[in-house]
Amino acid sequence: MSEIENKIKELNIKLPDPKPPVGAYVATKIVGNLLYISGQISADENLNLIKGKVGEELNLDQGYKAAERCGLSLLAHAKKACGDLEKIKSCVKLTGYVNSSNNFTDQPKVINGASDIIVKILGDKGMHTRAAVSVNSLPLGVAVEVDGVFEIK
């Protein structure tokens, strides 16, 4: 078992099954040594969508957990695309979108959910650049969507 797989087991984490896209796009695309992963929407362990506006129906902690689920989905797609998470050289960039109320201003704290879980699993290879953006709505009414770019071996 690889070092990263051991870390996932040690943290008692189960990566979700990577879901195929529901639109006219691909879930992942490798260009040179970069792996681009399309936006992953917030869904819990039972595949129920985590819906609502952060700052209204959801609080900061619930938003953080929704973003964490997006981060796990990104890693699941990375594993499927590469065959093994050990092929990830680094997480380059995440872009997080938060379905939030007009007066909510802690989008970076919400997207920390995705950032933190990726760093917990990948260690220093998980450190990345990032944007955290507020949006008026997201597909299917979900709370969070995160996409990512990874450098691969």
Side-chain angles (χ1 to χ4, degrees):
M1 192 177 288
S2 75
E3 185 179 323
I4 294 172
E5 292 294 335
N6 282 334
K7 186 69 168 176
I8 291 170
K9 189 174 181 179
E10 174 188 311
L11 293 168
N12 198 27
I13 292 171
K14 182 183 181 306
L15 292 181
D17 291 329
K19 297 296 172 212
V22 294
Y25 61 93
V26 293
T28 61
K29 185 166 190 151
I30 296 173
V31 178
N33 66 339
L34 294 177
L35 168 63
Y36 293 84
I37 303 175
S38 294
Q40 299 301 301
I41 59 175
S42 51
D44 68 17
E45 297 83 2
N46 299 315
L47 304 179
N48 298 309
L49 296 177
I50 302 169
K51 296 182 174 188
K53 283 194 178 291
V54 181
E56 287 180 12
E57 296 93 352
L58 302 174
N59 63 31
L60 175 61
D61 187 53
Q62 291 168 313
Y64 178 96
K65 286 181 172 63
E68 183 177 73
R69 295 296 305 168
C70 295
L72 292 173
S73 290
L74 286 170
L75 291 175
H77 276 283
K79 181 177 179 179
K80 181 178 179 184
C82 297
D84 183 352
L85 289 174
E86 291 297 334
K87 292 185 178 172
I88 294 176
K89 197 169 175 184
S90 71
C91 180
V92 178
K93 182 166 197 240
L94 298 181
T95 303
Y97 305 91
V98 182
N99 181 1
S100 53
S101 63
N102 290 339
N103 61 350
F104 186 80
T105 58
D106 283 331
Q107 290 79 12
K109 290 180 183 175
V110 169
I111 300 305
N112 280 348
S115 294
D116 290 346
I117 196 67
I118 288 172
V119 171
K120 270 185 195 168
I121 292 172
L122 298 180
D124 288 344
K125 295 191 284 187
M127 295 301 295
H128 52 271
T129 63
R130 189 182 83 182
V133 180
S134 175
V135 294
N136 188 46
S137 68
L138 284 170
L140 306 173
V142 297
V144 180
E145 180 173 352
V146 182
D147 65 28
V149 180
F150 293 82
E151 181 184 16
I152 57 176
K153 299 175 188 172

